[in-house]
Amino acid sequence: MIVTWFRYEPGEKGPEPHVHHHHTDAFYVLEGELELMLGAERTIVAAAPGTFTAAPPNTVHTFRNASSATAIFLNMHAPSSGFGDVLRGNQNPGFDQHEPPPDGGRPFAHAVLTPREAAETLEHEASTYRILCDLPQLTAIEMTFRPEFEGVDPHTHADHADCFYVLEGQVEFDVGDEPRVAGPGTFVAAPPGSVHGFCHAGPEPIRFLNLHAPPGGFLDRLRTG
């Protein structure tokens, strides 16, 4: 998976409508408003801060900033499929991006559009989980932990990457040989086999976007407590 931080100014446009055959293209709005076109019907939607959208394989999509203010958002490709080469200006003729198919591709109903307030929400004693995306290639959960939360002990995942983008508060991550304190705007990624854990680094609640690629069954464990 690759995660990219984008800033689009008013009127700035993304690529022409396209599909990916083998990976999911997803967006999480941090500031402003992002307009997306999704599905065979070319449905136009406006995504406000906290909204998660995703185009699974063979779903036509594009995006732009149609507002009068700056839009800031995260873009995720899962798996990355060489998108980093494209961003860096390197030639990658094999990148998984294609013209819309003659039949229009998958319908809008197969895309993900989850405003924060509409997310499936799981309440635990010291934490709240808002499930924003549940796809075969990617899950996204907004997690909030109150100060009484004791933290997650260091652990590994053998089959997927576990990634975090801090939204609020100070988080102490165990990564590598020593703990690191991360504030809002910090991204932390634990590839398969990497030891990682986290806890509060201050007295206030912490909130972050958590991504699993591929999912690895994490949501099943979360839903069953």
Side-chain angles (χ1 to χ4, degrees), residues 37-149:
M37 184 274 287
L38 293 164
E41 306 90 334
R42 308 288 179 104
T43 302
I44 303 296
V45 298
T51 300
F52 195 98
T53 60
N58 298 312
T59 304
V60 176
H61 60 286
T62 188
F63 56 93
R64 65 172 181 162
N65 180 0
S67 75
S68 59
T70 299
I72 298 175
F73 56 96
L74 301 179
N75 178 218
M76 292 135 276
H77 290 248
S80 63
S81 301
F83 184 62
D85 290 335
V86 175
L87 281 179
R88 295 181 180 101
N90 300 325
Q91 295 296 322
N92 186 350
F95 176 57
D96 178 30
Q97 182 163 313
H98 311 277
E99 295 289 329
D103 65 0
R106 297 170 71 173
F108 174 73
H110 288 188
V112 173
L113 173 63
T114 312
R116 182 175 183 269
E117 64 275 8
E120 176 188 352
T121 301
L122 306 175
E123 291 285 357
H124 291 192
E125 184 176 352
S127 55
T128 301
Y129 304 89
R130 297 180 184 272
I131 299 172
L132 302 173
C133 178
D134 182 4
L135 289 172
Q137 294 173 315
L138 175 69
T139 59
I141 311 104
E142 183 197 281
M143 298 184 173
T144 301
F145 295 95
R146 293 175 278 283
E148 60 268 28
F149 180 72

Side-chain angles (χ1 to χ4, degrees), residues 2-9 12 26-32 34 63 70-77 83-84 87-88 164-167 183-187 209 211:
I2 182 171
V3 179
T4 310
W5 183 97
F6 277 108
R7 180 179 63 213
Y8 267 37
E9 298 302 333
E12 192 167 354
F27 306 83
Y28 179 77
V29 179
L30 297 167
E31 298 179 21
L34 189 66
F63 56 93
T70 299
I72 298 175
F73 56 96
L74 301 179
N75 178 218
M76 292 135 276
H77 290 248
F83 184 62
L87 281 179
R88 295 181 180 101
F164 309 82
Y165 184 87
V166 181
L167 299 167
T186 303
F187 182 79
L209 180 68
L211 307 167

